[in-house]
Amino acid sequence: MRKKTYCKLAEYQTEQSGRHLSEVRSIYREMRGYKHDFHNHLQTLKGQLEAGETERALSYIEQLDGQLIHVDTLLKTGNISLDAILSAKIAQAKESGIAVTVKANVPGELLLSDLELSIVVGNLLDNAIEACLESQGERFLRVYMGMKNKMLYFSMLNSSGPKRQKKGTRFASRKEGFHGFGLRRAEAILKEHGGWCKYNSEDGAFTSEFLVPAIE
């Protein structure tokens, strides 16, 4: 039984590593897109200035300045590990045509280890992205993370398909394999730290929440 569990965990971690690599590639592609666009912007400005169209060039710069406010590959939450996992998942979601909204402000040091934080948040976001891809209408993902006194609070609303039915204490996943194992790992980590996780499913929407002691 221990060997079987160990093998399953090893395979799960291999799958997770492959997924993280894919997410890093998504960020890389996004950054390359910004670089390509920047080169084109410079060429446009150069042409306008060489033609003596100074006012037009200044207007173009103002438009670029407005766009730069919304261009930031890495999310900044206050916690470097959380920045990395959220940025990777956001890049993955956007690449799939999902509209993402994130509001997060978290201390740099938490009682959860970096690995635990990655497993918990990563698996919940994986679940949300999977549900978004099943939805027929608008695809959206809205995440909030912050502190409630000494507790870390996470709330997420995402688009989904038809209402899911519960199997025991969990909603049934339409995806087989290690997906459910990942969520069980996330829930076990939260329980080990004295926290909880809960879900709610409705037609077209799914919500996830957790609350866990996070600072001394």
Side-chain angles (χ1 to χ4, degrees), residues 160-164 201-205:
S160 182
K163 183 175 180 178
R164 296 185 186 185
S201 179
E202 300 293 340
D203 284 336

Side-chain angles (χ1 to χ4, degrees), residues 106-171:
V106 178
E109 298 294 330
L110 299 171
L111 294 177
L112 280 79
S113 70
D114 291 344
L115 179 62
E116 289 173 330
L117 190 64
S118 177
I119 290 172
V120 172
V121 176
N123 278 293
L124 288 173
L125 284 166
D126 283 341
N127 190 53
I129 291 170
E130 177 196 330
C132 285
L133 296 178
E134 294 173 354
S135 62
Q136 299 300 313
E138 178 191 3
R139 293 176 175 177
F140 62 85
L141 176 59
R142 299 165 191 161
V143 180
Y144 171 81
M145 289 189 74
M147 299 300 296
K148 289 190 173 184
N149 296 320
K150 296 183 178 182
M151 310 280 280
L152 176 63
Y153 176 69
F154 173 97
S155 175
M156 180 167 63
L157 172 68
N158 58 269
S159 56
S160 182
K163 183 175 180 178
R164 296 185 186 185
Q165 300 301 314
K166 272 191 173 181
K167 290 180 67 176
T169 59
R170 295 185 185 87
F171 287 96

Side-chain angles (χ1 to χ4, degrees), residues 7-206:
C7 289
K8 190 173 182 180
L9 180 58
E11 289 184 56
Y12 168 70
Q13 290 173 332
T14 300
E15 184 199 50
Q16 287 289 88
S17 297
R19 183 180 296 133
H20 290 163
L21 178 59
S22 175
E23 290 158 0
V24 169
R25 285 173 176 162
S26 295
I27 294 179
Y28 177 68
R29 282 193 294 269
E30 191 174 358
M31 291 177 70
R32 286 192 66 181
Y34 292 149
K35 182 180 178 181
H36 180 265
D37 290 344
F38 183 68
H39 176 74
N40 289 338
H41 293 321
L42 288 179
Q43 292 300 313
T44 301
L45 283 169
K46 182 181 178 182
Q48 290 172 346
L49 291 171
E50 286 177 345
E53 298 182 3
T54 308
E55 292 297 322
R56 190 173 177 181
L58 288 172
S59 175
Y60 194 84
I61 291 171
E62 286 180 5
Q63 292 177 50
L64 286 177
D65 188 50
Q67 288 185 8
L68 284 172
I69 296 173
H70 305 287
V71 175
D72 192 353
T73 305
L74 284 176
L75 190 74
K76 294 178 175 61
T77 66
N79 182 287
I80 294 174
S81 297
L82 188 60
D83 291 348
I85 189 64
L86 282 177
S87 295
K89 297 300 180 184
I90 289 170
Q92 180 187 351
K94 286 182 176 178
E95 214 172 57
S96 300
I98 301 170
V100 184
T101 303
V102 178
K103 184 177 181 182
N105 187 8
V106 178
E109 298 294 330
L110 299 171
L111 294 177
L112 280 79
S113 70
D114 291 344
L115 179 62
E116 289 173 330
L117 190 64
S118 177
I119 290 172
V120 172
V121 176
N123 278 293
L124 288 173
L125 284 166
D126 283 341
N127 190 53
I129 291 170
E130 177 196 330
C132 285
L133 296 178
E134 294 173 354
S135 62
Q136 299 300 313
E138 178 191 3
R139 293 176 175 177
F140 62 85
L141 176 59
R142 299 165 191 161
V143 180
Y144 171 81
M145 289 189 74
M147 299 300 296
K148 289 190 173 184
N149 296 320
K150 296 183 178 182
M151 310 280 280
L152 176 63
Y153 176 69
F154 173 97
S155 175
M156 180 167 63
L157 172 68
N158 58 269
S159 56
S160 182
K163 183 175 180 178
R164 296 185 186 185
Q165 300 301 314
K166 272 191 173 181
K167 290 180 67 176
T169 59
R170 295 185 185 87
F171 287 96
S173 172
R174 299 177 182 89
K175 181 178 178 183
E176 299 299 327
F178 296 107
H179 177 75
F181 183 68
L183 281 180
R184 288 196 294 273
R185 285 282 295 123
E187 292 164 6
I189 288 169
L190 292 170
K191 187 175 180 180
E192 286 169 10
H193 285 270
W196 52 259
C197 184
K198 65 180 181 181
Y199 316 103
N200 185 54
S201 179
E202 300 293 340
D203 284 336
F206 193 89

